[in-house]
Amino acid sequence: QVQLVESGGGLVQAGGSLRLSCAASGVTLSMYTMGWFRQAPGKEREFVAAISWSGGTYYADSVKGRFTISRDNAKNTLYLQMNSLEPEDTAVYYCAAERGIPSYYIGLDYKYGYWGQGTQVTVSS
């Protein structure tokens, strides 16, 4: 049974940093494409970042240069380091997993079959 559990969200001032974690069980992260998505109130869920099974990383333009996705295969944990946070980054952040997503689909949420419950990130101005 696949389980993804996010943690690390919270309230932070603009310009601050947070690191999100996604602990996985029932999957071997190194064999999966892992993604971070977010959903703000009243908005659709959007792609944030992803890391392929081979280690390639992909970012939404809105977070490029501020966020870094990584994984620790030994801990079977996915991370999202978020720096220079802005109020517009406020959202519920979800991690997702799937095998074999081609790079040109990597930002599409419906390509991912496994999802965590989400963690709230609130950035105050």
Side-chain angles (χ1 to χ4, degrees), residues 7-8 11 15 21 23 27 34 38 40 45 47-48 51 53 58 64 71 74 90 95 100 107 118 121 124:
S7 61
L11 174 63
S21 300
V27 295
M34 302 296 299
R38 66 187 182 187
R45 187 165 55 192
F47 169 72
V48 175
I51 183 166
W53 66 271
Y58 306 81
K64 206 171 293 183
R71 66 175 183 235
T90 295
C95 70
V121 172
S124 63

Side-chain angles (χ1 to χ4, degrees), residues 32-73:
Y32 279 70
T33 295
M34 302 296 299
W36 286 101
F37 291 79
R38 66 187 182 187
Q39 188 166 21
K43 295 188 177 181
E44 293 187 354
R45 187 165 55 192
E46 66 175 1
F47 169 72
V48 175
I51 183 166
S52 70
W53 66 271
S54 61
T57 57
Y58 306 81
Y59 296 94
D61 288 343
S62 60
V63 306
K64 206 171 293 183
R66 300 188 298 124
F67 291 10
T68 303
I69 189 171
S70 63
R71 66 175 183 235
D72 185 327
N73 292 336

